Amino acid sequence: MFLKYALDLRKSIEKYRRDLYELAKSKGIYDPEVKKIVKELDGKIMELKEVLSEIPR
């Protein structure tokens, strides 16, 4: 279960990164929409870190 969730998060993060790149390229890095996606991406990355820290080694 952890692995599937972690993989889904990873896919989501990659999509956010692609979207962020395209949006920043077209609107600039200071656009409010770009800043919103950056915050969402940060949240997803922190969530993935938390999930990965719970996986037994």
Side-chain angles (χ1 to χ4, degrees), residues 12-44:
S12 176
I13 288 169
E14 287 305 317
K15 182 179 181 332
Y16 270 93
R17 283 182 174 162
R18 285 190 303 272
D19 292 348
L20 178 60
Y21 175 77
E22 292 300 322
L23 191 61
K25 199 165 76 171
S26 66
K27 292 190 172 189
I29 61 172
Y30 299 108
D31 185 80
E33 197 174 345
V34 171
K35 290 180 180 183
K36 179 184 173 202
I37 292 179
V38 167
K39 284 184 181 182
E40 291 172 6
L41 178 57
D42 285 346
K44 293 286 184 183

